[in-house]
């Protein structure tokens, strides 16, 4: 069995192993990390040798930690990263490069249709009718997008939303509210087979699916990192938030994961605070100044036009994993338009948690 895992902000860990009579055998850990002293790698292998095959990542990491020689220094490597690579080997997890990725980047769409497209495209990936897809959104109108389980009245000031002509839609994934405006926001979705995140905890899957964009930002001079559970941050402040939804495949078979990220390219903090109630509670002094401090837009950090930031992100993904241009099919669009009308634009869905 073979498993790979790139430690967030670190290096690649590779594990090869067998399972005999329910226990790990012939364990070999490798990778492009740095480790001192040399014999520490043998200690890691020995710590995993004979471990029960159903040991979880926490238990495997504990075995590794306990076996390391005194004074061991690991750079780009963690005991948790080794444990996750083992779990991915045992789960027969797929790798990014195992797939033929498709890019969907089309013209502006209304917010409700974006919610519906996320659902339809991920369902198609789960059914095996569509390859894993990176979809870059273009917003056709300003909106507040609330998480699947958020209270409408607790998150949104209806008078502020009406004053600024901002509609509210509810998405299928959890997480917090998103304030978006055309030209000020960069949003993308990954719709991937669940085999890609096999062996990862829910939290680890966020870091794993966000790692490519951290590299893309680094290439633009922005040092960013994953901040549990679902934020991307820099020294200057938060720049993005992620959310996920897991979908079961047809007949209960292998499914797919929807992972989407909204990034602040620019931000009207006054308007955001006028519309979002939650924004007021999260800010220490309840003022616009602190809102701008908490969320630091990519326009200032990169000095690049929004279109250039998106282009560089896409190029970075393509360079890592390959990416061919695609589009939403006529059938997918028809289904999404129907869902946008009957579900995502309906008061029953939007206010399902009043």
């Amino acid at each position: 069995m073979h498993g790979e895992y790139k430690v967030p902000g670190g290096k690649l860990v590779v594990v090869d192993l067998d399972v005999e009579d329910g226990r790990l055998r012939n364990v070999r850990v490798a990778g492009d990390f740095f480790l001192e002293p040399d014999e520490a790698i043998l200690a890691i292998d020995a710590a995993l040798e004979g471990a029960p095959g159903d040991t979880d990542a926490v238990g495997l990491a504990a075995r590794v930690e306990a076996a390391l020689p005194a004074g061991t220094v690991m750079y780009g490597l963690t005991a948790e990263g080794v444990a996750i690579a083992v779990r991915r080997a045992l789960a027969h997890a797929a790798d990014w490069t195992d797939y033929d990725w498709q890019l969907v980047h089309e013209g502006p769409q209304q917010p409700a249709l974006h919610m519906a497209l996320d659902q339809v495209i991920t369902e198609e990936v789960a059914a095996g009718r569509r390859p894993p897809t990176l979809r870059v959104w273009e917003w056709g109108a300003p909106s507040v997008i609330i998480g699947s389980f958020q209270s409408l009245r607790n998150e949104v000031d209806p008078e502020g939303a009406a004053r600024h002509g901002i509609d509210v839609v509810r998405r299928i994934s959890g997480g917090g509210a998103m304030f978006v405006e055309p030209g000020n926001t960069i949003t993308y979705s990954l719709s991937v087979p669940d085999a890609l995140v096999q062996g990862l905890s829910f939290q680890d899957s966020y870091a794993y699916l966000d790692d490519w964009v951290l590299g893309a930002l680094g290439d633009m001079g922005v040092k960013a990192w994953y901040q549990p559970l679902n934020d991307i941050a820099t020294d200057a402040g938060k720049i993005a938030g992620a959310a996920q939804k897991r979908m079961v495949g047809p007949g209960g078979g292998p499914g797919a994961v929807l992972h989407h990220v909204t990034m602040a390219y620019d931000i009207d903090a006054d308007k955001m605070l006028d519309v979002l109630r939650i924004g007021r509670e999260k800010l220490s002094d309840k003022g616009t100044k602190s809102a701008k401090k908490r969320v630091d837009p990519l326009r200032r950090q990169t000095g690049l036009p929004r279109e250039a930031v998106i282009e560089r992100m896409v190029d970075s993904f393509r360079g890592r994993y390959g990416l061919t241009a695609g589009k939403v099919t006529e059938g997918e669009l028809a289904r999404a338009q129907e869902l946008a009308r009957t579900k995502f634009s309906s008061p029953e869905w939007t206010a399902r948690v009043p």
Side-chain angles (χ1 to χ4, degrees):
M1 298 177 185
H2 179 86
E4 298 185 1
Y5 178 67
K6 184 180 181 300
V7 176
K11 299 294 185 175
L12 182 68
V13 183
V14 180
V15 175
D16 291 285
L17 57 85
D18 299 316
V19 175
E20 298 174 2
D21 298 324
R23 294 188 174 272
L24 308 188
R25 300 297 181 192
N26 305 315
V27 181
R28 293 294 179 269
V29 176
D32 58 356
F33 47 80
F34 300 91
L35 181 64
E36 293 289 349
D38 281 353
E39 56 266 26
I41 191 68
L42 300 178
I44 292 173
D45 292 344
L48 297 170
E49 190 72 21
D54 59 359
T55 307
D56 63 15
V58 173
L60 292 170
R63 291 176 72 106
V64 171
E65 289 279 5
L68 292 174
T72 294
V73 176
M74 295 189 287
Y75 183 77
L77 174 68
T78 63
E80 292 78 11
V82 173
I84 291 170
V86 171
R87 293 308 314 170
R88 285 177 60 76
L90 293 168
H92 302 283
D95 183 70
W96 293 84
T97 55
D98 292 335
Y99 299 109
D100 294 322
W101 290 89
Q102 186 174 111
L103 171 68
V104 173
H105 187 188
E106 300 182 338
Q109 306 280 13
Q110 291 301 303
L113 184 58
H114 276 307
M115 305 304 109
L117 284 169
D118 257 4
Q119 178 174 330
V120 169
I121 287 174
T122 308
E123 287 174 346
E124 290 296 287
V125 172
R129 293 187 291 264
R130 162 176 278 280
T133 300
L134 167 65
R135 183 170 74 92
V136 179
W137 304 22
E138 295 294 344
W139 292 95
S143 182
V144 169
I145 316 298
I146 59 175
S148 181
F149 310 107
Q150 288 189 295
S151 163
L152 178 60
R153 68 167 66 99
N154 287 346
E155 302 301 324
V156 183
D157 184 327
E159 294 180 357
R163 186 161 50 249
H164 295 291
I166 293 177
D167 290 332
V168 181
V169 296
R170 185 183 295 275
R171 62 181 185 267
I172 60 174
S173 58
M178 302 154 41
F179 173 74
V180 301
E181 293 184 288
N184 283 357
T185 307
I186 296 173
T187 303
Y188 67 86
S189 300
L190 287 169
S191 296
V192 306
D194 61 9
L196 184 62
V197 296
Q198 286 298 306
L200 300 178
S201 68
F202 189 78
Q203 176 173 320
D204 288 333
S205 72
Y206 274 85
Y208 185 70
L209 294 175
D210 281 339
D211 188 67
W212 72 274
V213 80
L214 301 184
L217 291 169
D219 292 340
M220 289 181 265
V222 178
K223 184 179 179 181
W225 58 85
Y226 162 76
Q227 183 170 295
L229 171 66
N230 61 332
D231 288 344
I232 296 174
T234 70
D235 286 332
K238 173 182 172 180
I239 57 173
Q244 286 187 5
K245 174 68 176 178
R246 307 295 174 102
M247 296 186 182
V248 177
V257 178
L258 167 66
H259 178 92
H260 52 194
V261 173
T262 291
M263 314 179 81
Y265 174 73
D266 203 353
I267 190 168
D268 186 331
D270 295 318
K271 191 183 295 184
M272 180 182 73
L273 289 176
D274 208 23
V275 174
L276 293 183
R277 296 187 194 277
I278 192 69
R280 299 168 188 158
E281 297 302 318
K282 285 187 176 179
L283 303 174
S284 60
D285 64 357
K286 311 297 190 291
T288 300
K289 182 178 179 181
S290 60
K292 291 179 178 177
K293 183 177 180 181
R294 182 173 183 272
V295 180
D296 196 65
L298 281 172
R299 186 178 73 170
R300 190 200 66 77
Q301 294 200 48
T302 64
L304 296 171
R306 176 180 176 274
E307 293 74 16
V309 174
I310 292 173
E311 181 180 0
R312 293 195 184 192
M313 288 170 56
V314 169
D315 286 347
S316 180
F317 191 102
R318 183 181 293 112
R320 285 170 173 245
Y321 311 126
L323 190 64
T324 59
K327 63 180 182 178
V328 177
T329 68
E330 291 183 3
E332 290 169 340
L333 181 59
R335 285 174 53 204
Q337 288 171 331
E338 179 67 10
L339 275 174
R341 182 182 66 82
T342 60
K343 177 179 179 179
F344 293 103
S345 297
S346 70
E348 293 80 12
W349 171 256
T350 304
R352 75 179 191 126
V353 182

